[in-house]
């Protein structure tokens, strides 16, 4: 496989990042038991590729606050993975981490994680919210040293068109 590079996101990555989120959401979140449908995901992304939304994301990338970073995994010019991380007063927050479905299980998520470690404060705990039914992601975080805190919250983006909601599990990785 062509070398995967982990880089700071630049405004030109906005479309590629949105594509990674969209494809990963479609492959990850539809769930019959939870009542989350493909149509729900399609609906929640219906405006995300609009000129305005892409411009907004470009502006966000251009004006990142000092305590926040977006990293991308790129194969050539193509964004295949993306993550957003925040250094808070009290903790490090792994905000989002998504890999294009066909690029998962190739070590790219781990590479992005290793990059976030360079940015995070090693003296502080790190938290992540993960959909409570996504076994792969939960196991991925367990392998990185995260444990379930027991806290559950409805995802802040709200309910889908169908009325279903993703429940986030909070996981924590204690500072060494
Ligand atoms: C969860 C997620 C971020 C993990 O990223 P990933 O790139 O798939 O994970 P990695 O490849 O780094 O690690 C996963 C597995 O691949 C293995 N792996 C690592 N390097 C590898 C390589 N070079 N070749 C093959 N497999 C490899 C890892 O060992 C691990 O498997 P194992 O521990 O059972 O052996 C990604 O799968 C994803 O985006 N999932 C869907 C969205 C999601 O739920 N995201 C989390 C939201 S908070």
């Amino acid at each position: 496989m062509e070398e995967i590079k982990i880089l700071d996101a630049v405004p030109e990555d906005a479309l590629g990042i949105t594509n990674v989120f969209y494809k990963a959401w479609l492959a990850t979140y539809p769930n019959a038991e939870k009542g989350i449908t493909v149509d729900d995901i399609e609906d929640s992304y219906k405006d995300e590729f609009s000129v305005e939304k892409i411009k907004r994301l470009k502006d966000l990338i251009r004006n990142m606050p000092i305590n926040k970073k977006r990293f991308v995994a790129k194969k050539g010019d193509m964004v295949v993975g993306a993550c957003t991380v925040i250094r808070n007063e009290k903790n490090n927050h792994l905000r989002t981490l998504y890999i294009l479905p066909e690029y998962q299980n190739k070590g790219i998520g781990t590479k992005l994680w290793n990059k976030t470690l360079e940015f995070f404060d090693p003296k502080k705990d790190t938290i992540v919210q993960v959909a409570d039914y996504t076994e792969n992601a939960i196991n991925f975080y367990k392998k990185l040293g995260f444990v379930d805190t027991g806290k559950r919250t409805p995802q802040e983006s709200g309910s889908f068109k169908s009325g279903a909601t993703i429940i986030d599990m909070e996981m924590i990785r204690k500072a060494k």
Side-chain angles (χ1 to χ4, degrees):
M1 190 165 66
E2 191 184 332
E3 199 197 338
I4 301 287
K5 291 206 172 82
I6 308 296
L7 302 162
D8 280 19
V10 293
E12 293 67 39
D13 294 330
L15 188 62
I17 292 172
T18 302
N19 181 56
V20 167
F21 288 171
Y22 169 60
K23 299 272 172 57
W25 273 57
L26 264 183
T28 308
Y29 294 133
N31 183 285
E33 201 184 315
K34 306 276 177 186
I36 299 167
T37 63
V38 167
D39 186 48
D40 280 335
I41 310 300
E42 296 283 10
D43 179 67
S44 64
Y45 272 85
K46 67 180 188 304
D47 297 328
E48 294 302 304
F49 289 91
S50 66
V51 174
E52 302 80 61
K53 282 288 179 86
I54 297 299
K55 181 180 177 302
R56 210 176 86 179
L57 181 52
K58 282 184 176 172
D59 290 341
L60 285 174
I61 295 169
R62 209 171 275 123
N63 302 305
M64 294 292 280
I66 196 149
N67 67 326
K68 190 170 170 181
K69 279 265 191 193
R70 283 173 181 270
F71 297 115
V72 286
K74 277 182 152 178
K75 185 184 175 192
D77 285 341
M78 186 188 180
V79 180
V80 299
C83 76
T84 312
V85 292
I86 306 168
R87 247 180 356 208
N88 291 317
E89 281 288 310
K90 64 171 184 162
N91 58 26
N92 304 306
H93 189 180
L94 181 54
R95 190 73 182 78
T96 53
L97 172 56
Y98 291 100
I99 310 296
L100 271 185
E102 59 272 36
Y103 286 89
Q104 290 175 11
N105 289 310
K106 297 179 192 295
I108 301 172
T110 306
K111 274 190 174 180
L112 275 166
W113 164 252
N114 287 335
K115 185 74 179 177
T116 69
L117 286 179
E118 293 171 17
F119 176 68
F120 282 155
D121 183 342
K123 295 186 290 300
K124 290 176 183 165
D125 298 342
T126 301
I127 57 158
V128 65
Q129 279 85 26
V130 54
D132 68 353
Y133 60 94
T134 51
E135 290 297 326
N136 283 353
I138 293 167
N139 287 331
F140 172 78
Y141 289 124
K142 279 185 183 162
K143 243 167 270 169
L144 299 178
F146 286 84
V147 294
D148 180 6
T149 66
K151 188 172 170 189
R152 299 290 181 274
T153 40
Q155 206 167 71
E156 56 180 43
S157 51
S159 298
F160 291 110
K161 185 182 170 189
S162 66
T165 310
I166 290 177
I167 303 298
D168 279 334
M169 166 195 282
E170 182 185 72
M171 299 182 82
I172 192 165
R173 181 178 181 270
K174 289 288 194 186
K176 291 273 161 13

